[in-house]
Amino acid sequence: MAPYFETAKSFADVPITDDGVDTAVFLLASTDFVNMFDLLGGGVFAFVQNDLRSNITGVRHRFDAASAESPTLEKLVTNECSGGAGDRHGTACLVRLLRGLWFTCEALRNMQRDRNAELHTCFKRSYDANLKHHHSFVIRSVVSVAIRAVPHRRDFYIRITQGGSHEKFDEELTKWLAGLERIVLRLKAFLEEGGYGRI
């Protein structure tokens, strides 16, 4: 059986048109990305996974409620927010989802750039740069403890590649992260320019 990373939907494969980022494929890629961390076992990344899954559910709920008006993430947001000051739960979830994905993206990029750094160092760097300013002191303390529980770099690669090639995983991960960066930067500009939220 092929390793999970070879069969999961990649962010590199999410269609982006002039209208925006394909909602359904983005949700699939996000779910597959989060599920990849299940391979580490024992809820090691539970603090990240739970947040991401909750926000994926919120965006999916909005998409399911208005799929015809939400073929792209941009249209999902504009459609939801055009109704006045009502419920904007899907948009809020999308903002938080993108923050969490960006945090994870940058942590994994840190891991690829600094081949000698342990994973907890890579995740700490990313947290400090991307999420820390969004959290209260209590949340920061919880995250600090959780980051310390991430596996050693060697163990991460063994589990995540499932016996597959580490080099092939790194190649695929580079594509995933480049695709995710393209999506996040596009949506970051869209959300901020429209006053919908800040990543």
Side-chain angles (χ1 to χ4, degrees):
M1 184 162 77
Y4 182 80
F5 73 87
E6 291 181 13
T7 61
K9 178 59 82 180
S10 170
F11 288 109
D13 299 329
V14 176
I16 299 176
T17 65
D18 290 341
D19 288 337
V21 178
D22 185 286
T23 303
V25 181
F26 171 80
L27 288 170
L28 176 59
S30 296
T31 301
D32 283 358
F33 186 68
V34 172
N35 289 343
M36 180 172 63
F37 292 99
D38 287 341
L39 299 172
L40 300 174
V44 171
F45 281 94
F47 75 100
V48 175
Q49 286 179 292
N50 291 339
D51 184 58
L52 293 174
R53 282 189 175 124
S54 170
N55 289 312
I56 290 168
T57 299
V59 176
R60 182 171 283 123
H61 178 73
R62 176 61 194 172
F63 176 65
D64 290 344
S67 58
E69 297 84 15
S70 308
T72 65
L73 293 171
E74 291 87 342
K75 288 190 176 197
L76 181 145
V77 169
T78 55
N79 178 269
E80 182 178 56
C81 294
S82 67
D87 181 28
R88 295 183 177 189
H89 183 70
T91 300
C93 286
L94 178 61
V95 169
R96 290 189 303 268
L97 174 59
L98 291 168
R99 283 179 191 158
L101 290 171
W102 188 244
F103 155 71
T104 308
C105 176
E106 286 300 295
L108 294 172
R109 278 208 169 135
N110 285 329
M111 177 190 77
Q112 287 186 316
R113 283 187 210 119
D114 187 349
R115 300 276 180 197
N116 295 317
E118 279 299 335
L119 237 52
H120 69 86
T121 302
C122 299
F123 274 83
K124 172 94 171 70
R125 287 177 192 156
S126 180
Y127 179 76
D128 289 348
N130 298 294
L131 286 181
K132 186 176 182 178
H133 60 278
H134 293 291
H135 292 158
S136 68
F137 173 76
V138 173
I139 299 295
R140 286 183 208 153
S141 300
V142 170
V143 170
S144 178
V145 171
I147 285 174
R148 283 279 183 200
V150 300
H152 291 284
R153 176 185 209 92
R154 182 178 176 279
D155 295 335
F156 172 83
Y157 271 98
I158 289 169
R159 292 181 194 168
I160 214 86
T161 60
Q162 298 174 292
S165 164
H166 292 200
E167 292 78 19
K168 185 166 183 173
F169 171 73
D170 265 336
E171 287 174 25
E172 290 302 313
L173 184 61
T174 297
K175 292 177 196 171
W176 278 40
L177 299 179
L180 179 55
E181 178 181 37
R182 189 173 56 137
I183 292 166
V184 170
L185 293 179
R186 177 188 176 101
L187 288 167
K188 180 179 191 294
F190 166 79
L191 291 166
E192 290 177 7
E193 287 169 13
Y196 303 117
R198 296 184 66 82
I199 297 173

